[in-house]
Amino acid sequence: MNTIKWIVDKNNVKTDSYPHIQQAAALLQRDEVVAFPTETVYGLGANALEDSAVAKIFKAKGRPSDNPLIVHISNQQQLTNLVDNITPVAKKLTEVFWPGPLTIILKKKTGISELVTAGLDTVAIRMPDHEIALALIEESGLPLAAPSANLSGKPSPTLAKHVEEDLNGKIAGIVDGGATGVGLESTVVDCTGDIPVIFRPGGVTKEQLEKVVGRVDVDPALEKEEASLKPKSPGMKYTHYAPVAPLYIVEGGPQYLQHVVDKARADGKIVGVLSTDEQINRIKADVVLTVGTRKDMHTIAAHLYEVLRAFNETSVDIIFSESFPQVGVGAAIMNRLQKAAGHKIVKENE
Ligand code: TXA
Ligand code: MG
């Protein structure tokens, strides 16, 4: 398949770039699959109301069919069409955080492709905060099912070139709108009950949610690595975001990190380090890449996936990563790092 690529300036979506949006929307209406930017990561969109369209997403990504998709909408009416009951917590949270990196889970109405919801009686919905995504949804007139636009298991794409690396020739089109903003996926929150439950940490933090609704719970499977606990968000059980070389998270100070690196190099390994602006000049290894500054954790979120992918362009045999405090967006950063590392952690004093 020939993948069409459109370059769209997100500040001129409604003017100069609109013909591109119309072409991409026309492909979506014909039940083809198109990748587009959102404020979190690039999504791989298809008509959420049509099985044959949604099936193409699973095929292109190599995604397991028991992992449901998020439906992307651009207005409130679409939410009403998709769910039976907008609970009070869903109402409060969407009023504050939509459009934005929040996905809510509610009981679904019939009509949504069973493939989208992987047979569950709930559906995940979000309104992205991105001019291109919103214009594409509006112009197509469709709710768009869209997972992250990467091959299953790879880091999510924060640039159109990441989408091309993974999916060129496998999808109908890519709308290139430049770098995404947040860099990590949306926060997935179950809003079916009275108390919201975080199924996946993401761009909206637990602290921000609590300010709006008071108590917020976290799916226990996210906090403990126990085989007996099954994550409520099916996607969380799969290995994700992994670079090719094995990744270890190092918990300890810079000297300990250097010690771990030196030991691996003494064993003949080519060693990569995922570092920060603060420590990059202090660490000696074969490849040292910074994800951003600890003074602004959002810079780290924005570059994490790009740096994980960048290690694949090097010849490192092993990667050690600094670890980060799990507050604010740090919770989502550590969740993704732990998954990318397959929970391999090296601790000082152990
Ligand atoms: O930021 C994002 O959310 C990006 C952009 C493209 O919008 N999308 C994204 O989609 O991350 P995906 O498919 O990579 O992740 C969707 C997550 C998975 O963990 C999936 O299991 C969960 O949402 N999910 C979807 N529907 C669900 C449901 N009904 N119940 C529980 N979890 C659900
Ligand atoms: Mg994903």
Side-chain angles (χ1 to χ4, degrees), residues 38 40-43 61 63 67-70 72 103 105 117 120 122-124 126 146-148 184-186 188 199-200 232-236:
T38 80
T40 58
V41 300
Y42 274 78
K61 281 188 60 109
R63 181 176 176 109
N67 191 3
L69 307 177
I70 297 170
H72 294 63
T103 294
I105 292 181
T117 56
L120 299 174
T122 55
V123 59
R126 99 173 181 98
S148 49
L184 298 179
E185 298 86 343
S186 62
V188 177
F199 282 2
R200 178 180 73 179
K232 299 272 179 13
S233 190
M236 297 307 287

